[in-house]
Amino acid sequence: MAPYPPLMRWLHWFTAFLVLVQLSFVLLNRAVYEVYPVLSEVLIQAHISLGALILGVTLLRFGVRQWSNVSLAPTRPFVRRAARSMHLTLYVLLCVLPVIGYAHLALLGFDLRLFGIVSLPGLPFNPALAQTASLLHSSAGLLLGALILLHVLAARFHSKLDGKPVLRRMLPTAKVRN
């Protein structure tokens, strides 16, 4: 089975890298929030900018995937449907999380800037709705983490136990056969 096209592989691993950096910003912000408020503000702004970048890369990935002629590894129909559902859910979460995060902070009146340059429009001040958005954002983030773990385990399962070259097809070093 042929590897995924290089652009799809690059976008996949770039997204994975961005999500890991995003998680590190969240964890670091939780550690410094009360002690270093200026650093916390920088981390929040970086988190917002990275979220927007993840949204853009995810939309690009989805487009590339739709127009690529790539098939899933041959497997049972149930497994193929589960894989498609998993990928779609990951794409949706990677798009929805930045939007909900933006709504959370904008509803609290934060001055939001992408990469310190582009100001995002504010929303009417609404702490109650912001709290709901915060809860949704946190819950969606936890769901994303759980699905990423399941995604990795499924790739390992298909590679090791099921004999399918799923993981090898996505590795950056995979050679495209003509």
Side-chain angles (χ1 to χ4, degrees):
M1 177 146 289
Y4 287 97
L7 180 58
M8 283 181 70
R9 287 183 276 142
W10 186 87
L11 290 170
H12 175 271
W13 293 109
F14 185 55
T15 302
F17 171 75
L18 292 175
V19 168
L20 285 173
V21 171
Q22 193 73 305
L23 177 61
S24 69
F25 285 169
V26 169
L27 296 174
L28 184 57
N29 188 49
R30 286 188 180 167
V32 304
Y33 181 74
E34 304 241 347
V35 181
Y36 301 104
V38 173
L39 177 57
S40 179
E41 176 64 26
V42 168
L43 289 168
I44 288 169
Q45 292 294 343
H47 183 77
I48 293 162
S49 296
L50 207 54
L53 181 58
I54 290 170
L55 173 61
V57 170
T58 301
L59 292 173
L60 178 61
R61 281 184 68 190
F62 186 74
V64 168
R65 185 178 183 97
Q66 294 307 307
W67 286 286
S68 293
N69 198 12
V70 175
S71 62
L72 293 172
T75 188
R76 296 172 296 280
F78 167 76
V79 175
R80 198 171 23 257
R81 280 192 304 275
R84 283 193 177 113
S85 295
M86 167 71 77
H87 287 115
L88 181 60
T89 304
L90 287 169
Y91 283 122
V92 167
L93 285 171
L94 288 169
C95 290
V96 167
L97 265 160
V99 175
I100 297 170
Y102 156 76
H104 166 235
L105 296 175
L107 288 164
L108 290 175
F110 276 79
D111 177 29
L112 304 175
R113 296 181 172 274
L114 295 180
F115 303 100
I117 302 168
V118 178
S119 286
L120 296 176
L123 295 174
F125 184 73
N126 189 332
L129 191 54
Q131 183 62 31
T132 301
S134 176
L135 181 61
L136 285 172
H137 187 69
S138 297
S139 299
L142 290 171
L143 179 58
L144 177 64
L147 290 179
I148 288 171
L149 180 61
L150 185 59
H151 178 66
V152 170
L153 292 173
R156 295 284 299 159
F157 170 80
H158 289 296
S159 293
K160 295 291 182 189
L161 301 177
D162 209 17
K164 306 289 185 207
V166 174
L167 188 58
R168 254 183 295 142
R169 292 177 72 199
M170 190 52 79
L171 290 176
T173 57
K175 302 289 186 237
V176 176
R177 290 185 238 144
N178 293 327

